[in-house]
């Protein structure tokens, strides 16, 4: 019997035996090999995610890479044994947002690991349209970071980085460090990560940041583009203070349902700031990340600092919870 990590209801988590999956028309059953867990998974376990975005009992796992096991009727572009990643957001493809290409804003929210079974299991069922094949040469541990990379990539795209610019990232968690790594692809003149935990400095540099700072100082620092990926009110305020006049600020972090940040109205207007935010990722952004993986341009290996066998899920969740030491991505191995 295949195993699956199951959250029957908020507060409990266990490994269960589940029925073998059979793909329907246009579907694929894949065998996940690496499954990343993140802060959102902790929130799903705690039961603090907006009920509109989750359905229990839930098999978590929205960041993964794996191998095609069985293809359903009508699936011609994929075959068993192929290494794959897959988009987790399942867009309807017919609503006004989807038709505009903004599949992240689909009117019908549906996502693996939230409203339908995720990949923390021996098998996962995915619509074939969302599956992106990879060459065997792509490291599947790194490929399991495609989902957070797509989130960062879509946000970066909103900020339109250009070579030679001064770029700052606020935050030192996985999405922030991933954003820094991807921003380096645009050849910035300066790329500084502003974090809180000095222990993350080495990781930030290894992933392509040119400097890691914990202090910002009172004066504006003149960055052309600032990407906020910490998800706290103070990080948002910090991001506004780092931008130059005429600069762009992209907000990526979720701070929690009722959290409000102080908005420097006059500074924003006087400084002619472009303020943008980004939710999830579009199909296009995920496809671009898949292409970057295939061509070896995403080298996030150092980000995976913790690996646990699926049976050790309790240790994995605990490692994610504890804020001490260097912490990148926590990964389950199947
Ligand atoms: Zn995540
Ligand atoms: Zn739609």
């Amino acid at each position: 019997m295949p195993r699956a990590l199951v959250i029957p209801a908020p507060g409990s988590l266990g490994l269960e035996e589940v029925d073998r999956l059979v793909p329907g028309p246009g579907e694929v059953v894949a065998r996940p090999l690496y499954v990343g867990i993140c802060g959102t998974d902790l929130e799903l376990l705690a039961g603090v995610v907006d009920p509109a975005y989750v359905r229990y009992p839930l098999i978590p796992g929205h960041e993964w890479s794996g191998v095609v096991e069985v293809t359903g009727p009508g699936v011609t572009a994929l075959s068993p044994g192929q290494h794959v990643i897959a988009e987790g957001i399942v867009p309807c493809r017919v609503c006004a947002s989807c038709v505009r290409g903004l599949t992240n804003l689909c009117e019908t929210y549906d996502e693996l690991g939230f409203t339908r079974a995720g990949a923390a299991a021996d098998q996962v069922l995915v619509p074939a349209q969302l599956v992106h094949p990879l060459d065997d040469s792509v490291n599947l541990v790194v490929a399991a970071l495609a989902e957070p990379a797509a989130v960062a990539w879509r946000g970066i795209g909103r900020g339109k980085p250009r070579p030679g610019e001064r770029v700052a990232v606020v935050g030192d968690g996985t999405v922030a460090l991933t954003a820094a790594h991807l921003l380096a692809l645009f050849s910035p003149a300066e790329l500084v990560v502003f974090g809180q935990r000095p222990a993350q400095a080495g990781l930030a540099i290894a992933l392509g940041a040119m400097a890691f700072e914990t202090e910002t100082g009172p004066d504006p620092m003149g960055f052309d583009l600032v990407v906020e990926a910490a998800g706290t009110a103070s990080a948002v305020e910090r991001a506004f203070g780092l931008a130059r006049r005429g600069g762009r600020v992209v907000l990526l972090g979720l701070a929690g349902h009722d959290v409000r940040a102080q908005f420097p109205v006059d500074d924003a207007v006087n400084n002619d700031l472009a303020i943008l935010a980004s939710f999830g990722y579009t199909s296009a952004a995920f496809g671009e990340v898949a292409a970057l993986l295939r061509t070896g341009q995403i080298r996030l290996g150092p980000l995976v600092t913790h690996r646990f066998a699926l049976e050790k899920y309790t240790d994995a969740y605990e490692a994610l919870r504890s804020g001490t030491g260097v912490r990148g991505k926590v990964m389950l191995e199947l």
Side-chain angles (χ1 to χ4, degrees):
M1 291 278 269
R3 304 160 305 160
L5 204 56
V6 180
I7 303 174
S12 68
L13 177 68
L15 202 53
E16 295 180 8
E17 292 197 331
V18 292
D19 291 337
R20 187 156 288 283
L21 296 171
V22 180
E27 293 179 334
V28 163
V29 170
R31 182 159 52 89
L33 294 175
Y34 299 98
V35 181
I37 57 174
C38 72
T40 306
D41 290 303
L42 295 180
E43 291 172 5
L44 288 167
L45 177 57
V48 295
V49 172
D50 187 331
Y53 294 88
V54 59
R55 211 162 292 147
Y56 299 99
L58 174 70
I59 298 174
H62 58 276
E63 309 178 1
W64 63 282
S65 61
V67 180
V68 174
E69 209 169 70
V70 197
T71 56
V75 178
T76 50
L78 296 161
S79 47
Q82 239 174 344
H83 290 182
V84 289
I85 51 176
E87 297 165 46
I89 297 174
V90 184
C92 78
R93 310 228 185 245
V94 295
C95 74
S97 295
C98 281
V99 168
R100 273 188 221 112
L102 296 169
T103 52
N104 58 328
L105 307 183
C106 178
E107 281 167 17
T108 317
Y109 173 76
D110 193 9
E111 187 170 5
L112 271 77
F114 293 84
T115 49
R116 57 166 81 189
D122 288 322
Q123 291 190 312
V124 63
L125 185 72
V126 206
Q129 277 191 325
L130 305 181
V131 177
H132 299 257
L134 300 172
D135 310 324
D136 289 356
S137 61
V138 178
N139 180 331
L140 285 179
V141 178
V142 173
L145 295 162
E147 197 269 358
V151 170
W153 184 252
R154 201 280 173 164
I156 289 168
R158 299 270 274 161
K160 295 189 170 55
R162 290 185 284 272
E165 287 193 316
R166 300 184 67 224
V167 179
V169 174
V170 180
D172 55 22
T174 311
V175 175
L177 298 181
T178 301
H181 183 70
L182 295 174
L183 281 162
L185 294 174
F186 294 89
S187 304
E190 208 175 327
L191 177 56
V192 184
V193 171
F194 290 89
Q196 278 196 310
R197 295 175 289 163
Q200 299 291 84
L203 199 48
I205 302 296
L207 291 170
M210 297 173 195
F212 180 91
E213 305 284 350
T214 52
E215 302 293 327
T216 23
D219 302 323
M221 297 179 75
F223 287 92
D224 300 292
L225 172 62
V226 183
V227 175
E228 183 281 320
T232 63
S234 62
V236 171
E237 289 158 27
R238 201 178 189 188
F240 284 126
L242 287 168
R244 71 160 164 85
R245 294 193 75 198
R248 291 101 67 202
V249 178
V250 179
L251 306 180
L252 270 184
L254 287 166
H257 204 49
D258 291 321
V259 176
R260 314 228 154 205
Q262 293 287 327
F263 187 78
V265 179
D266 281 14
D267 288 351
V269 174
N270 287 334
N271 291 338
D272 206 33
L273 289 187
I275 300 164
L276 302 148
S278 182
F279 171 73
Y281 50 87
T282 58
S283 280
F286 199 98
E288 286 164 12
V289 165
L292 290 170
L293 279 166
R294 280 187 209 108
T295 52
Q297 292 178 89
I298 295 185
R299 291 186 288 270
L300 285 167
L303 190 58
V304 182
T305 52
H306 294 66
R307 290 161 68 156
F308 297 91
L310 180 64
E311 310 81 79
K312 300 277 185 198
Y313 63 89
T314 313
D315 297 341
Y317 273 70
E318 198 43 54
L320 186 59
R321 240 176 242 122
S322 76
T324 55
V326 183
R327 207 192 59 223
K329 176 53 65 182
V330 177
M331 198 77 85
L332 294 168
E333 299 183 330
L334 284 97

